[in-house]
Amino acid sequence: DASVYAHHTLREIMEQPEVVARALAPRPEIELAAGALRTAGRVFAVGAGTSYHAAMVARYAFAEVAGVDLQPVLASEHDLFLRWMDAGSVVLAISQSGETADVLEAVRAARAKGARIVSIVNVPHSTLERESDLSVNVRAGPEVGVAATKSFTAQLSTLFSMALEAAGRPPLDAERLRQLVTSALSSEGSARAAGERLRDATDVYIVGRGVHYPVALEGALKVKELAYVHAEGLAAGELKHGTLAMVEEGTPVVLVNPGDGTYVDTISNGEEMKARGAFVIGISERPNDLYDLHIPIPEARGLELPIVEVVPLQLLAYYVALARGAEIDRPRNLAKSVTVK
Ligand code: F6R
């Protein structure tokens, strides 16, 4: 029952097991999109905000599973990339609303260069859907909370399905993902404890390596817009190139730290911060002495990880916001659909 949740945002976070399973279901549009990708010259993925983070995650996924060099493009910065777009290009236009002005402008400019437009949208019958050569719906259902949550995991699921299909590889197992996301949601208690711990924080650093880096960016965006706490997502390896100077006694740091090939290096970056007094929150399958607070995630692998690990970040942002009394479903200064440049 939807009414058991205090906020649409929390309900939408909790809906994700079903959302992800639905988004992973095969459909003809995904096959068509994969066909276009197989014969494409350059591939771009355009988006803004959370949808841009999905494009960034997709870059790792497409490289890894399909050997495709996908170039993420910030919709508002698309000008720079136009010179590379031609009739051989495929532009994946990612937008929950399908009405974001910057995305529409980028798509119109790309189309004028001859590029094929494949949109990945959530709201049916949107302007973007109408203006695409092909449109794939992510099937997240209506997203009421201004902060994008379930639409992000639905975008990732859809993009991963496309990459796997383009590579002729089997799709992710929807039932398994449903269970993994359910299990990630069961860490709500730890995410809540972490959120309450961050109530009076002024800055939070969220760090990850590889594909976990854009997930860290997404977590930081959620913390900013829901809780109005300054948050920064960072590639873990970048810390010592400047931001480490910000770390002092009690500075909260969230490590997106699953047990894949990034684990050891991210731990050592965490140790560098801890040595300067950081309060370390670790998102990982297993505890580690380094973590002052551990938010467990289930054992997952490869493309499953970004979907699974963003869930505790969403919950963390939600609970920081709740502890601070922020207006969660409708953050100040923001609109659900940004129809002006
Ligand atoms: C963040 C958020 C925004 C949107 C951005 C793009 O939670 O909601 O950053 O992701 O405005 O919106 P769409 O996906 O509708 O193009």
Side-chain angles (χ1 to χ4, degrees), residues 166-185:
R169 292 174 55 171
L172 291 178
D173 182 338
E175 190 47 43
R176 181 177 149 85
L177 260 294
R178 184 207 303 275
Q179 283 164 20
L180 288 171
V181 174
T182 302
S183 164
L185 286 167

Side-chain angles (χ1 to χ4, degrees), residues 123-313:
V123 176
H125 314 299
S126 61
T127 307
L128 178 59
E129 184 181 308
R130 282 199 307 278
E131 294 196 13
S132 318
D133 296 294
L134 172 67
S135 190
V136 186
N137 195 283
V138 302
R139 300 173 158 184
E143 191 174 61
V144 177
V146 165
T149 53
K150 65 176 181 171
S151 63
F152 179 68
T153 47
Q155 287 167 342
L156 295 187
S157 303
T158 304
L159 286 159
F160 295 169
S161 294
M162 264 181 210
L164 290 163
E165 177 77 27
R169 292 174 55 171
L172 291 178
D173 182 338
E175 190 47 43
R176 181 177 149 85
L177 260 294
R178 184 207 303 275
Q179 283 164 20
L180 288 171
V181 174
T182 302
S183 164
L185 286 167
S186 70
S187 294
E188 189 181 0
S190 323
R192 182 175 194 139
E196 283 163 3
R197 178 69 175 61
L198 297 189
R199 190 191 60 198
D200 301 317
T202 51
D203 307 275
V204 180
Y205 297 94
I206 306 183
V207 305
R209 282 179 174 261
V211 73
H212 315 300
Y213 160 51
V215 175
L217 294 177
E218 174 57 10
L221 182 59
K222 292 300 90 125
V223 172
K224 283 186 280 193
E225 64 181 336
L226 289 177
Y228 317 146
V229 171
H230 173 249
E232 196 174 326
L234 277 156
E238 274 291 288
L239 275 160
K240 58 171 79 61
H241 299 289
T243 308
L244 196 54
M246 295 294 296
V247 176
E248 55 189 15
E249 198 57 41
T251 302
V253 171
V254 181
L255 297 184
V256 186
N257 196 202
D260 65 2
T262 66
Y263 183 76
V264 173
D265 285 340
T266 303
I267 287 285
S268 68
N269 297 126
E271 279 164 352
E272 287 160 355
M273 290 184 283
K274 179 95 166 192
R276 276 115 188 139
F279 179 83
V280 178
I281 298 167
I283 297 177
S284 194
E285 297 86 340
R286 274 169 291 281
N288 185 301
D289 285 346
L290 174 67
Y291 308 151
D292 296 292
L293 226 151
H294 172 223
I295 306 181
I297 51 169
E299 296 279 350
R301 52 180 180 253
L303 296 183
E304 297 166 348
L305 281 168
I307 296 173
V308 164
E309 73 205 12
V310 77
V311 170
L313 287 169

